[in-house]
Amino acid sequence: PAVFPLCCAVQSYSWGKLGLASEVAQLLASGDPMVRIQPERPYAELWMGAHPRGDALIRDNRIPQKTLGQWIADNPACLGAKVKDTFQGRLPFLFKVLSVNTALSIQAHPNKELAAKLHAQFPEHYPDANHKPEMAIALTPFEGLCGFRPVEEIVSFLQTVPELRALIGEVAAEQLERSGSDDPRGVSAALRVCFTRLMKSEKKFFVDQLNMLVKRISQEAAEGKDTSGSNGDLLLRLHSQYPGDIGCFTIYFLNLVRLEPGEAMFLGANEPHAYLHGDCVECMACSDNTVRAGLTPKFIDVLTLCEMLNYTPAPSSSKIFPAAQSPLDPSVYLYDPPVPDFAIMRIEIPPSIKLYLVSAVDSASILLVIQGTAVGTSTAAASEMALRRGSVLFISANESISLQLSSPDGMLLFRACCLL
């Protein structure tokens, strides 16, 4: 068989939603009735792929290989000829579902050149030499910090938040205030100085300033004042999650991006970001390289982060990545980012359609069912497959699946693949 169901790895990171509040847990419970969901456990990420730290198990005892990684190693042609050659016989992407309850660390992912260098120098912190562009598509209303805000917004915060200005210092603050939009390189240089000064400020000093700020905003909020000029709500929320963390101040530099279900953001190399709350599907190049600098108890590498970031200011609306409806199939919306490693399809099958063909692509793909039920048949599958919310299928290159829908309200599927 070249099409088969997968049983996927779960990661219980502390920032995940607990128990059945988590989309990850709901998908697990629905996909496999034998699974017991523990109400106090965070179900943060579902990994659908062949990453060594979370290789999917094959749910078909007629297949001798136990995991997807082993199966691909033994059957590399399943990747598709171009994908196999381009990515040295490995599945180039990792597909995930994330359920975010508290903020993830302020982070960025290196480009290939920097990843190779970091991996050579510090293999214990940077486990591989690959880049890690990623894309998130909201399943529920989703929020994250992403990319540097327009300069006028940052300057406005520098003028209304004295604690922020104290950390950055008068010289750097004025340099940013004077930088003109006619000189983008000057703006980026000034922004780099400001952000680096913030991130490298002395621990005792920034904790004092943060406590002063939090106390002031809390008092203003208690008096019913509008604290939006100081981004008060978000500050108090992040401070309650990570008290005394420098990451709390990054809200004055980074865009707050809100995604509605089906909306996406693409995070290229060196783009600063932090997911804050909500559920999403995510696809990324198969790597674990993350440079962190706040909102985290993990290893922090402030110098590398400040050196590598893309200091180009842009409005939050520019961070939303559009999906293109397929001209060949109106049920398919394609998110095709500017990297070769992966693309995602959102497949919305309307209630009026009872037979649907998941068409063949020239790449291995992974299919996730978010809602609806169907029976799937494929000439490449050992037998027919019952598909429901939480089902995950591996589909070899150039194989198709015919779905006979049994749910009254259609289906919602996501499919990750590699379109070279």
Side-chain angles (χ1 to χ4, degrees):
V3 172
F4 43 81
L6 298 174
C7 176
C8 298
V10 175
Q11 309 287 357
S12 292
Y13 307 135
S14 57
W15 49 259
K17 292 187 182 179
L18 302 180
L20 283 169
S22 161
E23 180 82 12
V24 169
Q26 290 175 31
L27 291 167
L28 277 177
S30 167
D32 181 357
M34 303 299 286
V35 170
R36 306 239 48 75
I37 300 299
Q38 301 162 28
E40 296 305 305
R41 177 182 168 197
Y43 289 82
E45 298 194 1
L46 183 69
W47 285 23
M48 301 169 282
H51 192 285
R53 292 224 327 253
D55 199 356
L57 300 172
I58 294 174
R59 268 198 177 147
D60 185 333
N61 47 22
R62 289 159 290 202
I63 295 176
Q65 294 86 353
K66 287 286 164 273
T67 72
L68 181 59
Q70 294 166 348
W71 195 85
I72 291 172
D74 292 344
N75 302 278
C78 75
L79 295 169
K82 281 191 207 154
V83 176
K84 178 182 144 228
D85 291 348
T86 306
F87 295 101
Q88 292 80 46
R90 283 193 290 270
L91 189 67
F93 58 83
L94 177 58
F95 195 25
K96 296 181 176 183
V97 178
L98 273 63
S99 288
V100 181
N101 184 42
T102 57
L104 278 68
S105 54
I106 305 287
Q107 54 183 246
H109 304 297
N111 59 22
K112 282 205 159 149
E113 194 181 1
L114 178 60
K117 192 177 120 186
L118 289 173
H119 175 61
Q121 287 177 324
F122 312 107
E124 69 282 13
H125 297 306
Y126 300 106
D128 54 78
N130 199 10
H131 68 165
K132 189 183 165 181
E134 55 192 23
M135 176 178 272
I137 306 174
L139 292 171
T140 59
F142 191 83
E143 329 178 89
L145 299 173
C146 176
F148 283 96
R149 293 173 175 270
V151 171
E152 50 277 18
E153 292 180 21
I154 300 172
V155 164
S156 160
F157 287 131
L158 283 171
Q159 288 161 2
T160 51
V161 183
E163 299 84 353
L164 174 68
R165 197 176 185 99
L167 284 177
I168 281 159
E170 204 49 47
V171 176
E174 283 177 14
Q175 188 190 348
L176 189 67
E177 285 166 339
R178 283 197 308 266
S179 67
S181 51
D182 51 345
D183 175 20
R185 286 180 63 177
V187 169
S188 292
L191 198 48
R192 171 191 289 262
V193 171
C194 285
F195 190 73
T196 304
R197 295 232 14 173
L198 169 71
M199 297 308 284
K200 287 166 72 177
S201 51
E202 202 54 58
K203 171 115 188 160
K204 175 163 176 6
F205 185 45
F206 84 66
V207 170
D208 286 347
Q209 293 296 328
L210 182 56
N211 288 339
M212 277 163 56
L213 174 60
V214 166
K215 189 176 167 191
R216 182 168 67 79
I217 300 283
S218 304
Q219 279 171 346
E220 287 177 13
E223 292 162 12
K225 289 185 185 159
D226 175 20
T227 62
S228 59
S230 311
N231 214 343
D233 291 350
L234 184 56
L235 176 81
L236 294 181
R237 197 169 103 200
L238 288 183
H239 185 261
S240 71
Q241 295 174 12
Y242 297 95
D245 191 300
I246 190 69
C248 295
F249 279 106
T250 60
I251 62 172
Y252 299 117
F253 281 93
L254 304 180
N255 284 300
L256 176 60
V257 180
R258 291 196 166 96
L259 301 178
E260 288 305 313
E263 289 187 317
M265 57 179 159
F266 172 70
L267 302 162
N270 306 333
E271 185 84 295
H273 62 279
Y275 296 155
L276 299 178
H277 193 267
D279 307 274
C280 68
V281 291
E282 186 184 60
C283 198
M284 59 184 58
C286 206
S287 161
D288 253 348
N289 281 325
T290 300
V291 183
R292 295 183 179 85
L295 301 182
T296 177
K298 293 183 182 173
F299 173 73
I300 279 185
D301 191 346
V302 173
L303 272 161
T304 301
L305 188 88
C306 292
E307 281 296 305
M308 72 189 265
L309 291 182
N310 167 18
Y311 289 98
T312 310
S316 65
S317 56
S318 68
K319 301 298 168 189
I320 296 181
F321 189 90
Q325 191 172 19
S326 162
L328 303 171
D329 178 349
S331 297
V332 173
Y333 295 81
L334 177 66
Y335 305 81
D336 190 9
V339 293
D341 310 67
F342 62 87
I344 306 177
M345 296 171 194
R346 182 177 97 239
I347 306 173
E348 287 184 18
I349 310 170
S352 55
I353 294 182
K354 292 303 171 205
L355 260 179
Y356 180 82
L357 186 72
V358 178
S359 54
V361 289
D362 190 20
S363 152
S365 64
I366 292 178
L367 184 72
L368 165 68
V369 181
I370 295 292
Q371 66 199 53
T373 51
V375 172
T377 49
S378 170
T379 51
S383 55
E384 53 182 40
M385 299 161 290
L387 297 183
R388 55 179 172 266
R389 176 164 160 77
S391 297
V392 181
L393 288 187
F394 177 79
I395 308 173
S396 292
N398 306 307
E399 301 293 354
S400 59
I401 300 178
S402 171
L403 300 182
Q404 194 157 10
L405 279 72
S406 49
S407 45
D409 35 13
M411 281 189 99
L412 174 60
L413 314 163
F414 284 90
R415 181 184 192 184
C417 60
C418 176
L419 302 175
L420 293 178

